[in-house]
Amino acid sequence: MRPDIEGFLAYSKQFYAQRQYTNNGPLVRQLEKRLATLHRTEYCVTFCSGFWALVLAISKLALQGKSEIVMPSLTYRRMADIAAWNRLQPRFCEVDPHTLAMSAATAKECINDNTALILCVHPIVNCCDSEGVAALARERQIPLLFDAVESVYETQAAGKVGQFGDAEIFSLHASKLLNGYEGGYLTTNNRQLAEDLSLMRGFGFKHADNIAVPGGMNAKLNEIHAAMALASLDDLEQQVARNRVRYRLYQRLLQSIPGMQLLEFDEHHATSYKNIVVRLDADWPLSRADTLRILHAEKIVARPYYYPALHQKSMAYPHVAADLPVTDVLADQFLLLPCGHHVEEHDIEQIAALLAMLAQQATAIKHQLEAA
């Protein structure tokens, strides 16, 4: 995602002229105000990354004296590490095979007297059942945090993503819909949470040499990142329109390839059309590993979808062992195909042509791979 350079430079001149480059500068304040409006929440707090936004939010929200955090296993590879930073044990839950996300039913099975927090993650395409999980959290009186790093633009029947649970976390990494080079932010309607996290990202200081909130660190977003994020925000609708063109082309070209299904966006609500995910069905003639091997040999940057699942990895810190047969199957089925600002329509045509060739010539290809 790359916004207009002139827009980025225009924002950068503002903080340069005011001689404030960090410490809650004018562009950070402007960005937080616009993001809160975008997500229709009372508060937004920016951070140097989505990772540290998650770590600090969990540290504030987790119930004291409890030791477990419920999270999906089919998710971001560092999510369990984030729990460990907070001295919490991840308890991995299954996902709904239709949404690829935690549901109220799968989370409910993992809740017990030691549950400190529910960490619900929106999938890469479409959204989880936010209302259902939020209702469960209210019923059991457990804090609920959403990881919504891939859902900046998404809307559900109940409203804009960003408003659910105690808070939601987003990323401003260069690979995301809103590009701040790096960065992250949290949206919430909880004033005390927003104030505490705003202090914690700046070492916990409130006024000179007064540590008002324990557990602080340097997790501030600086002005140059805020300038890039503001320029990206100005370009958001155009980004989505360009993504829609790429998505439509993938949709048209992949539909005739047997054994492969594009995960389609729910167009009943606002969606970014950003990520391109395909499922390899049982009749796809090659393994996913061999498919990736060939795509990479042709310089096509495709990736397995959240593989391995977290419960399949060895961990050096305490966690709750899990048997998750649905996740085990899903972890072997999906591919992420190239998407975003640098992918041209011609690139998509070449990718689809290569995948069609793999489907047609699979027998000969498998023989060559076995002989190699």
Side-chain angles (χ1 to χ4, degrees), residues 268-290:
H268 293 95
H269 307 288
T271 185
S272 69
Y273 299 95
K274 177 178 172 289
N275 296 304
I276 303 299
V277 180
V278 295
R279 179 200 298 265
L280 301 183
D281 292 333
D283 54 345
W284 177 253
L286 297 169
S287 69
R288 185 177 65 180
D290 283 343

Side-chain angles (χ1 to χ4, degrees), residues 95-164:
V95 294
D96 183 309
H98 302 292
T99 65
L100 305 184
M102 170 194 289
S103 67
T106 63
K108 189 174 184 178
E109 294 176 354
C110 295
I111 291 174
N112 58 49
D113 291 341
N114 276 325
T115 303
L117 180 89
I118 300 171
L119 177 56
C120 187
V121 185
H122 287 292
I124 286 180
V125 172
N126 299 322
C127 300
C128 65
D129 175 15
S130 302
E131 283 187 289
V133 179
L136 173 68
R138 285 193 300 271
E139 176 192 332
R140 304 297 292 268
Q141 299 185 321
I142 298 170
L144 172 60
L145 179 64
F146 283 94
D147 179 321
V149 298
E150 298 289 354
S151 305
V152 169
Y153 195 78
E154 317 304 304
T155 298
Q156 299 179 271
K160 181 77 174 173
V161 169
Q163 307 173 58
F164 299 100

Side-chain angles (χ1 to χ4, degrees), residues 320-340:
V320 181
D323 179 20
L324 303 175
V326 174
T327 297
D328 286 338
V329 171
L330 295 173
D332 286 326
Q333 288 186 335
F334 294 90
L335 280 180
L336 285 129
L337 293 178
C339 64

Side-chain angles (χ1 to χ4, degrees), residues 25-224:
L27 295 188
V28 163
R29 297 195 300 274
Q30 186 180 156
L31 177 63
E32 290 176 344
K33 186 175 181 180
R34 288 186 59 182
L35 289 172
T37 300
L38 175 70
H39 292 287
R40 300 164 199 164
T41 56
E42 293 292 324
Y43 308 100
C44 170
V45 183
T46 55
F47 297 85
C48 63
S49 72
F51 182 95
W52 290 114
L54 277 166
V55 171
L56 292 177
I58 290 170
S59 74
K60 284 302 299 180
L61 288 171
L63 296 175
Q64 296 299 307
K66 310 289 184 181
S67 61
E68 294 183 3
I69 176 169
V70 177
M71 65 172 67
S73 174
L74 192 68
T75 190
Y76 173 48
R77 68 188 65 183
R78 300 299 305 279
M79 199 65 85
D81 300 350
I82 291 170
W85 271 95
N86 281 293
R87 301 181 186 278
L88 292 169
Q89 295 186 46
R91 178 179 282 272
F92 302 113
C93 71
E94 280 284 21
V95 294
D96 183 309
H98 302 292
T99 65
L100 305 184
M102 170 194 289
S103 67
T106 63
K108 189 174 184 178
E109 294 176 354
C110 295
I111 291 174
N112 58 49
D113 291 341
N114 276 325
T115 303
L117 180 89
I118 300 171
L119 177 56
C120 187
V121 185
H122 287 292
I124 286 180
V125 172
N126 299 322
C127 300
C128 65
D129 175 15
S130 302
E131 283 187 289
V133 179
L136 173 68
R138 285 193 300 271
E139 176 192 332
R140 304 297 292 268
Q141 299 185 321
I142 298 170
L144 172 60
L145 179 64
F146 283 94
D147 179 321
V149 298
E150 298 289 354
S151 305
V152 169
Y153 195 78
E154 317 304 304
T155 298
Q156 299 179 271
K160 181 77 174 173
V161 169
Q163 307 173 58
F164 299 100
D166 292 278
E168 300 206 42
I169 302 289
F170 300 87
S171 173
L172 295 172
H173 186 269
S175 64
K176 298 298 186 282
L177 187 66
L178 284 181
N179 174 10
Y181 298 133
E182 261 294 1
Y185 65 96
L186 170 147
T187 56
T188 183
N189 290 316
N190 183 327
R191 181 184 60 81
Q192 190 62 55
L193 177 66
E195 289 182 0
D196 287 349
L197 288 173
S198 184
L199 295 175
M200 289 176 73
R201 69 180 175 181
F203 303 101
F205 284 126
K206 186 175 185 180
H207 309 306
D209 299 328
N210 174 38
I211 298 178
V213 179
M217 61 186 300
N218 186 0
K220 302 184 297 290
L221 191 76
N222 63 39
E223 291 290 280
I224 194 77

